[in-house]
Amino acid sequence: MSDSGASRLRRQLESGGFEARLYVKQLSQQSDGDRDLQEHRQRVQALAEETAQNLKRNVYQNYRQFIETAREISYLESEMYQLSHLLTEQKSSLESIPLALLPAAAAGASAGEDTAGAGPRERGAAQAGFLPGQTGIPREGPGTGEEGKQRTLTTLLEKVEGCRDLLDTPGQYLVYNGDLVEYEADHMAQLQRVHGFLMNDCLLVATWLPQRRGMYRYNALYPLDRLAVVNVKDNPPMKDMFKLLMFPESRIFQAENAKVKREWLEVLEETKRALSDKRRREQEEAAAPRAPPPVTSKGSNPFEDEDEEELATPEVEEEKVDLSMEWIQELPEDLDVCIAQRDFEGAVDLLDKLNHYLEDKPSPPPVKELRTKVDERVRQLTEVLVFELSPDRSLRGGPKATRRAVSQLIRLGQCTKACELFLRNRAAAVHTAIRQLRIEGATLLYIHKLCHVFFTSLLETAREFETDFAGTDSGCYSAFVVWARSAMGMFVDAFSKQVFDSKESLSTAAECVKVAKEHCQQLGEIGLDLTFIIHALLVKDIQGALHSYKEIIIEATKHRNSEEMWRRMNLMTPEALGKLKEEMRSCGVSNFEQYTGDDCWVNLSYTVVAFTKQTMGFLEEALKLYFPELHMVLLESLVEVILVAVQHVDYSLRCEQDPEKKAFIRQNASFLYETVLPVVERRFEEGVGKPAKQLQDLRNASRLLRVNPESTTSVV
C-alpha cells in the first residue's frame, strides 16, 4: 500500500463526520468483486496494526515522560517551598530590627526568635507527639548519635505490629512521622487513617488500631528509590493532599493542614536526595582505585618471624565494576515496563544482557544492590509467567499457546517449575475436553470421538513438550511419562464408564477396545508406547466382561439342554440352509456339508448347532480383547463353556435307551469332538500365538472310546 493511499485512508477514517455503515455501503457499491474487498480489508488491517504499534510506543514514551515530569515538578515545588520559607524568615528578621532598639523588648524578641527559629517540621514533629523526646525531623540523620537513632527505631518497633523483621538494615533511622488519611484514587472516598514513618531509605505506612490506643499495624513498606511524590492541587473539599507513585500502583494521602503537607513534601524530597547522593558516593568509592597498603621496611621489626613474612601476601586490588551506563541505570524501570506490557521476551533479554555483563566480575555493594532490585523484578516476572500457565487461564489454543511462557521460564532457570505448570495446564485441558464431549446414543460413536480427542491432545502435548524441553534435564521426560500415565487413567475412567459400566455386549466392548488400541499405537510415532498402561488399566474391566458373557452362554446352553429332544433340524427353506452353511463356514467349520441331509434337513441337533455358533462367536470377540494378562482368564472361560456341552452329550448318551436316538446322539458327539473342538484349538492358537494344552487334554479325555455305557455319570 502506497504512502499516499495510506494517508488518504487514515484521513478518511479520522474525519469527524465518518460513518462506518455509510462507508461500507459505498465501498461495496464501488468494488468490482470479492478481491477488491479483500485488498481493502488488508489495507485497513495494516493501518490498524500500525496504529496499535504507534499507540503502544506513545504509551511507553508518555509513561517515561510522566515519571520524569513528576520528578521535575517535585524538585521545582520543593525549591519553591524552600524559597518561600527563606522569604518568610527574612521578613521576620526585618520586622524584628526596630524591636531591638527597645531595651525592655530585647529579651522578648530574643525569645520569639528562638521559637520562630525552629522550622515548621520541628514544630510539626512536636505536635505529632508519637515519639516522646524525639523531634522526628530530617535533621536527625548525620548529626544524631547512634544511641539516639537506635532508641528511635526501638520505640517504633514497639508501637507498630508486624514490622520487626522488615527494619533490620544497619544504619537505618527515623527521619519523620505523622498522621495521614488515605483516600481512594478513583472516587476520592476516604479509606482509612494511617500513620507514616519516614526512614532514611524507606517509607513505612501503618494503620491505626482503634481498640488499642497509640498502637499501629504494619501496612506497607516502600523503598525511597522506587517512590515518586506528586503534589495534588487543592480542589475543595479535597485539599492538603499528595500522591505517592509506586509503579504500577499509586496511593493518595491527606495531611492535617497545609503546613503539615508542605513538611511531608519537603522532607520526602530532601530524604530522597540525600539517599541518592549517598549511593552515588558509594558507587564512586567502589569504582575508585584503592591506594596500596603502606609497605614497612624490612628489618623495622626485629622480632618478626621470617615464616610470617613469607605467608603475608599483599592485598589484591578489587576490580571496579562500571554501573554508570544508561541501560544499567534504567534496567529496573525497563523491566517494570516490559512486565506491564507483557513483553516477557524483552524482559528476559535484559536479564540475560545484565548477567552476561556481570559474569566473572566481583560483587561490591553497588552490584549487590542492583542484584537485589533485579531479583525483585525476576520474582514479579516469574509470578506473571506462572499465572499465564495456570489452569484458571483460557485453555484454548492447544499446547502451542503455552510455549511463550514456558520458554521464558526455562530461560530464567525455572525448568522444573515450567515442566510442572505445563503438564498441569495440559491435564486441565484434557480433562475439560473429555468432560465437554457429548455422550451419543451409540457407544461406539462416542468411543471414536473420545479416542480422537484424547490421543490427539496427548500426541500434540508430547510433540510440544519435546520442542519446549529439548536439551533440558532428563528428569523432565520422566515427569512427562508419569503425567501420561495419569492422563491415561483419566481416559480409561471415561472409557470404562461408557463401555463396561453400561453393560454393553461383548462384541461392542471388543470393538471399542480395538479402537482404543489402534489410537494408542499412534503414539509410537514419537517413541511413546503406552499400550502396556492401557492393558493394565483395562484388565479388571475386561475380566469382568468375559466372566459375565461366559455366564450368559452357560445359562443359555443349560436352558437349551433342559429342553433337548434330540431331533434333526428342519430349516424349511433352501435360503435358511444356505445361510446356516455360511454362518458355520465363518465360524471355521469347513466340513459342515457332510452333516446336511436331503431337502432342508440337518443331521445335527439344534442345541449343538446353537452352541457351536455361540462358542465360536465368544472366542472371536474374546480374541479381540486378548492380551497376555488375560490368557488364563480366557482359557478357563472357554473350558467351562465347552464342558457344559460335552457333559450334556455324554450324559445323554449313557441315559438314552432308544438305539435310533442313541445313534443320533453319537453323531452330534462326533461333531463336537472331531470338528468343533479342533476348530476352537486352532483358532485359539492363531489368535494367541501358542497352543493351549488344556483344550488338547479336554478333547483327548472326551473321546467316545472312553465312554462306559453302563454308567449314568460323565467321566469328563
Side-chain angles (χ1 to χ4, degrees), residues 496-507:
S496 298
K497 188 179 298 183
Q498 190 67 19
V499 175
F500 296 107
D501 293 355
S502 58
K503 304 300 181 182
E504 293 289 339
S505 65
L506 190 65
S507 59

Side-chain angles (χ1 to χ4, degrees), residues 571-581 599-600:
L571 298 179
M572 307 299 292
T573 62
E575 290 78 9
L577 180 60
K579 182 179 179 181
L580 179 59
K581 291 180 180 179
D599 296 331
C600 298

